[in-house]
Amino acid sequence: MWYRLSQIILKHRLFLILALFGITAFMAYKAQFVKWSFTLANIVPKTDPEMIYFQEFKKEFGEDGNILAIGIRDSAVYREDNFRRLKYMTDELASIKYVKDVLSIPSLKRLVKDKKDNRFKLENVFDEVPEDQKKLDSLVAYCLSLKFYSGQLINSENGASMVLVTIENEVMNSKARNTVVGDILLVTEQFKEHTGINLRYAGLPFVRYINTVKIKKELNMFLIFSVIVTGFILFLFFRSVKVVVVALFIIGMIVVWVMGTLALFDYQITLLTGLIPPIIVVIGIPNAVYMLNKYHQEYFQHGDQRKALERIIRKIGIVTLITNFTTAVGFLVLAFTDIVVLKEFGVIAGVNILATFVVSLIMIPAVFSYLKPPSSRHLRHLKFVPLDKVLTGLDLLVHRHKYYIFGVAAIIVALSAYGITKIEARSYMVDDLPEESQVKQDLKFFEDNFSGVMPLEIIIDTGTKKGVQSLKNLKKIDEFENFLNSLEDVSQPLSVVSFIKATRQAFYNDNPAKYALPSNRDKNFIFRYLKKESDQKGISKAFVDSTGQKIRVSLKIADIGSNKLDSLVNQVIEPKIAEIFDGSKMKVTITGTTLLFIKGNRFLIDNLITSMIIAFVIIAFIMALLFKNFKMIILCLIPNIIPLMITGGMMGFAGIPLKPSTALIFSIAFGISVDDSIHFLAKYRQELFANNFFVPLAVSKSLRETGASMIYTSIILFFGFVIFAASEFGGTVALGALTSTTLLMAMLTNLIVLPALLLRFDTGSRNVENHPLIEKFPEFYDELEDEEIDLGMIEVTDRESN
């Protein structure tokens, strides 16, 4: 089969090259229609009960993650000139398209008692900024006395304040969101420029805006870095510009295919799918290394260029197919998850890794058939003395000290297993940005001054229509809110209870001591106000459903992480809910973007672990098909499990938590690292046939021939993945640093542990009646004397005799 395929490729090489160019042109055309994703990935399935409830909440009360917070802590802002600029800034922000509302001290409204109509009305505290500093100070002091805003907008202890910008729901998941946030930042930067007052930013719209901007910048950077790094290493290995140009051109074609397939599958560019082009560059180059190294080896032996190109396909075609398939499996298993972003990432990466094999198998022999054969300078890497010494040393090591190797490996595995027990599953809402980043520093400002800005919602179903009008119900809710307000990482709750308290304070001439629920004596007046407001787009509408049965309690919490949030909700808040509302008709449910995000991360980690197990099973099944030998399967898997354990141990000892970005590493790294084992075992099987099944000699020859390619490709993979450690996103840093480390460890275990295992446990015996799949291909035995003749290559010429 592979012999025929080699003849077809070389005979029809021009047609095949043009066909691949045509496909690439089509993919380039489709690539222009790929769009960036601006949605917040829904990791929790739509069928999950908590997700269903959260979607119902948003239909009833609106989006909970559409507020951008701007923080100020500078007494200079209360000077008359700066305060006037703050009011100008507030007005400018309110005029931006798709900004729904802006709340700041200059835009504060107060409840004013209207004795004539026997109701309250809302009035601006600042109709205009007074020119007299004393009058301004008096109004600011008045604002601090309004308990409704205390802890929500103003920190009465240190004077810190916020400007809260609410963005229209419909643009939160569209490109327009970035335009809105960009306009907001433009306005606030002008305020900073004129006043010198530093501003802090937080809130999901801002974080998502920053992430999108950084992702676009980094993905372009990583693609460029991956090309430069892999190209440079290729040149060091082969000392040939044409090798570098051809290899990178082939990988460039696949990068175009990646973008084209995204469009064909109607997928968008996300943080994950955006990483595929540089990953394809890093993973695809080893194909070229193995093929070109084999081409140079063959040409060095016999000097026949065509035969050397044929044998690229014949001798390592099936091996390369299998290794690309196992690599693709590490990605494709993600398609078995219930998470859309993982499915898209896995499908696009897996499909294009297989495409990389097809394009490389055709393009490398076809293109190099048009180029001059390699010169002696280009073949010098085959006799690279330092590398030859390394391989000789490894050969001696595995033959003379295999039991020491097993002992060291056992100690490393035991230490790694202990380290794995120390791993914690922990994630944060703003998890990927470094601690020293401005976003993290700003977030800390809001946590220190306002207990955070991450949304958490609580819905209290009173059990009866107009239950909000029951003073008994309100008192229970008030007791619950007072408890929530006492918690360290939770802001002062905001609900209709807060609003009712504010009306009572206003009724008693803004006396802060009267900020409480009405008594039986004054409750009728307050409830008449609520009745009048219920059909208007006022505060009560945002916190009470249309029937008056459900009450929304809105909180802001610190980004305390999944573990602490679980403890807070399940061990602190839930027991208090049971204590306060036990025996009543009221039902309390906790929901919100923060809660769903944390649950989504746990769900994501579980799915990734499942994917890792599926990848392990599939790759083990492939080994079973190839070898039909349980012992060989175990010998193949051991050197690839050890690096994963080492990585897990490092995570445990270094305190790196298990989160989506780190859990993703294991299935990807396993799929890539097992390639070295397959290449080695394929050559080993071939050498067994060529050397009368004498294991020591087969191991030595396999180590010397495939060892160089394994080292070359591992170096490329290491430096190719390590570039991701330059990212500003913690998840991408983890993907780069841990994957590159894992692959480096895999190279060492496949060069040291695997040969030692073969020497100790493989007898080299062969069951003549049971031929495994690996023996059905000519590259796995000595084919030098068993070559097929292509009759189509024979030409008969008629020469006239003299």
Side-chain angles (χ1 to χ4, degrees):
M1 168 188 169
W2 292 93
Y3 175 79
R4 299 289 185 190
L5 184 60
S6 68
Q7 299 301 310
I8 291 170
I9 289 174
L10 291 175
K11 185 176 182 180
H12 303 287
R13 59 189 185 276
L14 181 59
F15 171 78
L16 291 172
I17 290 173
L18 292 176
L20 290 176
F21 282 177
I23 295 173
T24 304
F26 171 74
M27 290 296 190
Y29 168 74
K30 296 298 293 183
Q32 65 181 316
F33 301 111
V34 178
K35 298 178 181 179
W36 283 86
S37 173
F38 293 94
T39 60
L40 189 64
N42 287 327
I43 297 174
V44 180
K46 294 180 180 179
T47 55
D48 183 85
E50 289 189 34
M51 176 57 76
I52 292 173
Y53 189 88
F54 181 53
Q55 295 302 326
E56 291 175 352
F57 160 82
K58 291 200 290 186
K59 287 180 182 178
E60 183 71 48
F61 296 104
E63 182 69 50
D64 70 330
N66 61 339
I67 296 177
L68 190 154
I70 303 167
I72 307 171
R73 185 179 174 182
D74 190 332
S75 59
V77 76
Y78 299 111
R79 291 207 314 259
E80 178 267 329
D81 54 339
N82 290 334
F83 197 83
R84 181 172 285 104
R85 289 191 181 278
L86 180 63
K87 188 176 190 311
Y88 291 160
M89 184 186 82
T90 301
D91 294 339
E92 282 294 311
L93 292 174
S95 68
I96 294 174
K97 187 177 181 181
Y98 299 122
V99 167
K100 184 178 180 180
D101 186 37
V102 181
L103 185 62
S104 68
I105 293 181
S107 69
L108 281 189
K109 295 183 182 296
R110 61 180 176 177
L111 287 168
V112 178
K113 186 165 54 177
D114 186 342
K115 295 182 179 180
K116 181 180 179 182
D117 293 334
N118 196 29
R119 60 171 296 169
F120 292 111
K121 61 182 180 180
L122 287 171
E123 291 184 354
N124 292 323
V125 175
F126 295 91
D127 287 323
E128 58 182 24
V129 177
E131 296 184 1
D132 180 73
Q133 185 66 47
K134 288 186 177 180
K135 189 173 182 181
L136 174 61
D137 292 341
S138 175
L139 286 175
V140 170
Y142 170 75
C143 291
L144 293 175
S145 72
L146 297 176
K147 294 290 187 178
F148 181 81
Y149 297 110
S150 179
Q152 293 289 344
L153 196 70
I154 306 168
N155 185 322
S156 56
E157 294 180 0
N158 59 27
S161 67
M162 287 193 290
V163 178
L164 301 178
V165 184
T166 305
I167 299 173
E168 295 284 358
N169 294 339
E170 58 264 27
V171 303
M172 282 300 297
N173 293 324
S174 70
K175 187 177 181 179
R177 181 199 69 221
N178 281 10
T179 303
V180 175
V181 176
D183 291 343
I184 291 171
L185 295 179
L186 183 63
V187 171
T188 56
E189 286 299 317
Q190 290 175 348
F191 172 80
K192 289 171 62 177
E193 183 179 340
H194 286 101
T195 63
I197 295 173
N198 189 35
L199 300 179
R200 307 281 189 163
Y201 302 93
L204 290 182
F206 177 71
V207 172
R208 291 169 65 185
Y209 167 81
I210 292 295
N211 283 353
T212 302
V213 171
K214 288 183 180 294
I215 288 169
K216 284 185 177 182
K217 177 184 175 182
E218 287 196 355
L219 295 184
N220 292 327
M221 177 185 72
F222 289 142
L223 184 57
I224 294 171
F225 279 3
S226 64
V227 170
I228 293 173
V229 169
T230 53
F232 178 71
I233 296 174
L234 271 178
F235 182 77
L236 288 180
F237 289 162
F238 294 101
R239 300 293 180 176
S240 173
V241 173
K242 65 183 178 183
V243 165
V244 175
V245 171
V246 172
L248 292 179
F249 180 78
I250 291 170
I251 297 304
M253 292 173 62
I254 301 301
V255 170
V256 174
W257 286 29
V258 169
M259 305 308 292
T261 49
L262 280 170
L264 289 173
F265 281 84
D266 197 26
Y267 294 162
Q268 295 180 328
I269 300 176
T270 63
L271 177 59
L272 283 179
T273 55
L275 289 175
I276 297 176
I279 287 176
I280 285 291
V281 173
V282 174
I283 292 176
I285 289 296
N287 277 341
V289 171
Y290 274 110
M291 290 183 178
L292 290 170
N293 203 45
K294 186 63 178 176
Y295 171 46
H296 287 184
Q297 287 173 353
E298 290 290 337
Y299 185 78
F300 180 77
Q301 289 178 8
H302 49 69
D304 188 327
Q305 184 184 25
R306 184 181 178 87
K307 183 186 288 188
L309 292 171
E310 288 176 5
R311 288 188 174 177
I312 291 177
I313 303 168
R314 295 167 58 189
K315 285 196 171 185
I316 64 171
I318 182 63
V319 184
T320 310
L321 171 62
I322 294 169
T323 55
N324 276 264
F325 183 74
T326 55
T327 299
V329 164
F331 291 91
L332 288 171
V333 290
L334 300 176
F336 292 97
T337 67
D338 294 324
I339 302 169
V340 174
V341 289
L342 280 184
K343 282 184 178 180
E344 294 177 355
F345 175 67
V347 168
I348 297 299
V351 167
N352 283 282
I353 286 170
L354 295 176
T356 303
F357 162 74
V358 174
V359 174
S360 299
L361 192 70
I362 294 172
M363 289 292 289
I364 288 178
V367 171
F368 278 92
S369 69
Y370 288 107
L371 302 176
K372 291 180 180 180
S375 66
S376 58
R377 178 171 62 88
H378 300 147
L379 299 176
R380 201 174 298 160
H381 69 93
L382 297 175
K383 291 295 181 181
F384 186 48
V385 176
L387 180 60
D388 189 60
K389 288 183 178 179
V390 170
L391 294 176
T392 300
L394 292 175
D395 191 19
L396 292 173
L397 176 66
V398 299
H399 279 83
R400 296 178 180 178
H401 305 291
K402 52 183 175 289
Y403 292 106
Y404 286 107
I405 292 171
F406 297 152
V408 171
I411 292 171
I412 291 174
V413 167
L415 288 173
S416 299
Y418 176 69
I420 290 171
T421 63
K422 294 179 170 291
I423 296 178
E424 293 184 356
R426 184 174 69 250
S427 53
Y428 293 84
M429 282 287 284
V430 184
D431 206 9
D432 277 343
L433 296 174
E435 290 298 324
E436 64 273 11
S437 70
Q438 190 60 51
V439 174
K440 278 290 187 74
Q441 295 301 312
D442 286 359
L443 182 62
K444 190 175 186 306
F445 167 85
F446 286 98
E447 291 176 348
D448 291 342
N449 291 279
F450 298 98
S451 300
V453 291
M454 298 303 171
L456 187 68
E457 304 288 344
I458 299 175
I459 302 301
I460 301 175
D461 187 340
T462 61
T464 58
K465 291 184 178 181
K466 298 184 179 181
V468 68
Q469 297 183 16
S470 167
L471 189 58
K472 180 181 178 182
N473 290 342
L474 294 176
K475 286 182 177 179
K476 281 189 173 294
I477 296 171
D478 186 38
E479 180 186 354
F480 180 52
E481 288 188 4
N482 288 332
F483 163 74
L484 292 174
N485 192 35
S486 69
L487 299 177
E488 180 182 359
D489 297 310
V490 180
S491 70
Q492 177 177 306
L494 186 64
S495 72
V496 70
V497 172
S498 314
F499 184 60
I500 294 172
K501 287 181 177 181
T503 61
R504 189 168 187 267
Q505 180 182 355
F507 181 74
Y508 289 105
N509 301 318
D510 293 322
N511 182 353
K514 298 298 183 179
Y515 183 77
L517 285 174
S519 63
N520 288 326
R521 182 170 55 86
D522 53 24
K523 72 174 184 177
N524 291 331
F525 181 86
I526 301 298
F527 286 164
R528 280 200 301 273
Y529 173 84
L530 285 176
K531 186 176 181 180
K532 292 178 181 180
E533 288 290 324
S534 63
D535 295 325
Q536 300 177 18
K537 293 183 179 179
I539 295 176
S540 60
K541 186 175 179 62
F543 291 93
V544 181
D545 74 337
S546 58
T547 65
Q549 180 171 323
K550 295 180 180 179
I551 297 172
R552 171 189 181 185
V553 179
S554 186
L555 309 168
K556 298 292 185 290
I557 65 170
D559 191 12
I560 57 178
S562 54
N563 290 354
K564 288 187 69 176
L565 182 61
D566 275 343
S567 299
L568 178 66
V569 171
N570 296 316
Q571 299 177 23
V572 179
I573 298 178
E574 290 284 3
K576 196 66 177 181
I577 289 172
E579 176 187 329
I580 293 175
F581 297 98
D582 186 39
S584 70
K585 294 181 179 180
M586 289 188 279
K587 179 182 177 182
V588 182
T589 307
I590 304 174
T591 186
T593 299
T594 303
L595 195 67
L596 267 293
F597 176 84
I598 298 300
K599 178 173 183 176
N601 276 356
R602 291 199 305 270
F603 184 78
L604 185 57
I605 291 170
D606 292 342
N607 273 260
L608 289 171
I609 293 172
T610 302
S611 298
M612 171 61 198
I613 295 171
I614 294 173
F616 184 86
V617 171
I618 292 174
I619 291 173
F621 179 71
I622 293 170
M623 297 298 102
L625 286 177
L626 286 175
F627 297 105
K628 287 189 178 179
N629 185 323
F630 181 74
K631 180 168 62 178
M632 193 63 70
I633 297 170
I634 299 300
L635 295 183
C636 179
L637 293 177
I638 287 174
N640 297 292
I641 293 174
I642 293 174
L644 300 181
M645 294 192 66
I646 292 173
T647 300
M650 289 171 57
M651 289 172 58
F653 287 121
I656 300 173
L658 184 65
K659 53 185 179 180
S661 54
T662 52
L664 182 66
I665 294 164
F666 292 95
S667 62
I668 294 175
F670 182 68
I672 298 173
S673 65
V674 80
D675 293 355
D676 282 343
S677 297
I678 294 172
H679 274 289
F680 188 92
L681 291 174
K683 182 60 182 173
Y684 170 70
R685 199 74 180 184
Q686 181 181 338
E687 292 297 338
L688 280 177
F689 278 94
N691 295 280
N692 297 318
F693 298 94
F694 184 51
V695 172
L697 185 57
V699 167
S700 292
K701 288 191 173 182
S702 301
L703 187 59
R704 288 180 176 276
E705 182 167 330
T706 61
S709 294
M710 289 165 66
I711 291 173
Y712 289 166
T713 55
S714 295
I715 289 174
I716 290 173
L717 288 168
F718 175 81
F719 284 104
F721 274 100
V722 84
I723 62 173
F724 294 122
S727 172
E728 290 189 56
F729 294 99
T732 310
V733 172
L735 178 68
L738 294 178
T739 303
S740 59
T741 302
T742 305
L743 295 177
L744 189 62
M745 293 298 104
M747 177 195 73
L748 294 175
T749 54
N750 278 296
L751 285 172
I752 299 173
V753 178
L754 178 58
L757 289 170
L758 291 170
L759 286 168
R760 172 61 183 84
F761 296 104
D762 190 28
T763 62
S765 60
R766 173 182 175 226
N767 188 340
V768 295
E769 296 181 357
N770 185 17
H771 296 280
L773 182 64
I774 201 167
E775 292 183 10
K776 297 183 184 296
F777 297 95
E779 58 271 21
F780 295 112
Y781 60 85
D782 189 3
E783 59 178 307
L784 295 178
E785 298 178 0
D786 190 30
E787 295 185 355
E788 301 177 55
I789 299 174
D790 185 358
L791 298 178
M793 300 293 294
I794 298 176
E795 295 182 5
V796 179
T797 60
D798 184 14
R799 295 187 300 172
E800 295 182 2
S801 59
N802 293 330

PDB file of all heavy atoms in Angstrom, residues 110 274 337 520 580 602 632 690 740:
ATOM      1  N   ARG A 110     -32.235  61.581  45.663  1.00  0.00           N
ATOM      2  CA  ARG A 110     -32.719  61.380  47.017  1.00  0.00           C
ATOM      3  C   ARG A 110     -34.237  61.345  47.006  1.00  0.00           C
ATOM      4  O   ARG A 110     -34.893  61.906  46.132  1.00  0.00           O
ATOM      5  CB  ARG A 110     -32.232  62.508  47.919  1.00  0.00           C
ATOM      6  CG  ARG A 110     -32.706  63.885  47.494  1.00  0.00           C
ATOM      7  CD  ARG A 110     -32.195  64.954  48.424  1.00  0.00           C
ATOM      8  NE  ARG A 110     -32.573  66.291  47.962  1.00  0.00           N
ATOM      9  CZ  ARG A 110     -32.294  67.410  48.621  1.00  0.00           C
ATOM     10  NH1 ARG A 110     -31.638  67.342  49.763  1.00  0.00           N
ATOM     11  NH2 ARG A 110     -32.667  68.583  48.139  1.00  0.00           N
ATOM     12  N   GLY A 274      -8.205  30.166  19.354  1.00  0.00           N
ATOM     13  CA  GLY A 274      -7.184  31.093  18.895  1.00  0.00           C
ATOM     14  C   GLY A 274      -5.768  30.578  19.116  1.00  0.00           C
ATOM     15  O   GLY A 274      -4.826  31.036  18.465  1.00  0.00           O
ATOM     16  N   THR A 337     -16.860  15.982  25.509  1.00  0.00           N
ATOM     17  CA  THR A 337     -17.336  16.747  26.658  1.00  0.00           C
ATOM     18  C   THR A 337     -18.678  17.406  26.333  1.00  0.00           C
ATOM     19  O   THR A 337     -19.093  17.468  25.183  1.00  0.00           O
ATOM     20  CB  THR A 337     -16.325  17.837  27.057  1.00  0.00           C
ATOM     21  OG1 THR A 337     -16.258  18.817  26.015  1.00  0.00           O
ATOM     22  CG2 THR A 337     -14.942  17.244  27.270  1.00  0.00           C
ATOM     23  N   ASN A 520     -45.515  49.177  62.507  1.00  0.00           N
ATOM     24  CA  ASN A 520     -46.934  49.008  62.187  1.00  0.00           C
ATOM     25  C   ASN A 520     -47.621  50.355  62.010  1.00  0.00           C
ATOM     26  O   ASN A 520     -48.585  50.486  61.255  1.00  0.00           O
ATOM     27  CB  ASN A 520     -47.631  48.213  63.294  1.00  0.00           C
ATOM     28  CG  ASN A 520     -47.231  46.746  63.273  1.00  0.00           C
ATOM     29  OD1 ASN A 520     -46.991  46.192  62.198  1.00  0.00           O
ATOM     30  ND2 ASN A 520     -47.169  46.130  64.443  1.00  0.00           N
ATOM     31  N   ILE A 580     -33.173  30.892  59.517  1.00  0.00           N
ATOM     32  CA  ILE A 580     -34.073  32.048  59.504  1.00  0.00           C
ATOM     33  C   ILE A 580     -35.419  31.710  58.881  1.00  0.00           C
ATOM     34  O   ILE A 580     -36.479  32.111  59.398  1.00  0.00           O
ATOM     35  CB  ILE A 580     -33.415  33.224  58.740  1.00  0.00           C
ATOM     36  CG1 ILE A 580     -32.195  33.730  59.519  1.00  0.00           C
ATOM     37  CG2 ILE A 580     -34.420  34.358  58.510  1.00  0.00           C
ATOM     38  CD1 ILE A 580     -31.416  34.806  58.789  1.00  0.00           C
ATOM     39  N   ARG A 602     -15.647  23.726  37.899  1.00  0.00           N
ATOM     40  CA  ARG A 602     -15.630  22.366  38.454  1.00  0.00           C
ATOM     41  C   ARG A 602     -16.111  21.374  37.402  1.00  0.00           C
ATOM     42  O   ARG A 602     -15.533  20.288  37.242  1.00  0.00           O
ATOM     43  CB  ARG A 602     -16.537  22.288  39.689  1.00  0.00           C
ATOM     44  CG  ARG A 602     -16.031  23.043  40.899  1.00  0.00           C
ATOM     45  CD  ARG A 602     -16.703  22.553  42.165  1.00  0.00           C
ATOM     46  NE  ARG A 602     -18.149  22.622  42.077  1.00  0.00           N
ATOM     47  CZ  ARG A 602     -18.868  23.669  42.434  1.00  0.00           C
ATOM     48  NH1 ARG A 602     -18.269  24.751  42.907  1.00  0.00           N
ATOM     49  NH2 ARG A 602     -20.184  23.654  42.338  1.00  0.00           N
ATOM     50  N   MET A 632       3.729  -5.400  25.567  1.00  0.00           N
ATOM     51  CA  MET A 632       4.237  -4.287  24.774  1.00  0.00           C
ATOM     52  C   MET A 632       3.408  -3.025  25.015  1.00  0.00           C
ATOM     53  O   MET A 632       3.943  -1.916  25.019  1.00  0.00           O
ATOM     54  CB  MET A 632       4.240  -4.650  23.299  1.00  0.00           C
ATOM     55  CG  MET A 632       5.027  -3.701  22.421  1.00  0.00           C
ATOM     56  SD  MET A 632       6.784  -3.666  22.822  1.00  0.00           S
ATOM     57  CE  MET A 632       7.287  -5.294  22.243  1.00  0.00           C
ATOM     58  N   ALA A 690      15.476  -7.381  11.260  1.00  0.00           N
ATOM     59  CA  ALA A 690      16.739  -7.269  10.523  1.00  0.00           C
ATOM     60  C   ALA A 690      17.903  -7.922  11.255  1.00  0.00           C
ATOM     61  O   ALA A 690      18.938  -8.210  10.639  1.00  0.00           O
ATOM     62  CB  ALA A 690      17.058  -5.804  10.266  1.00  0.00           C
ATOM     63  N   SER A 740       5.396  21.999  28.029  1.00  0.00           N
ATOM     64  CA  SER A 740       6.785  21.885  27.574  1.00  0.00           C
ATOM     65  C   SER A 740       7.598  21.028  28.541  1.00  0.00           C
ATOM     66  O   SER A 740       8.412  20.198  28.111  1.00  0.00           O
ATOM     67  CB  SER A 740       7.410  23.277  27.428  1.00  0.00           C
ATOM     68  OG  SER A 740       7.377  23.983  28.651  1.00  0.00           O
TER      69      SER A 740
END
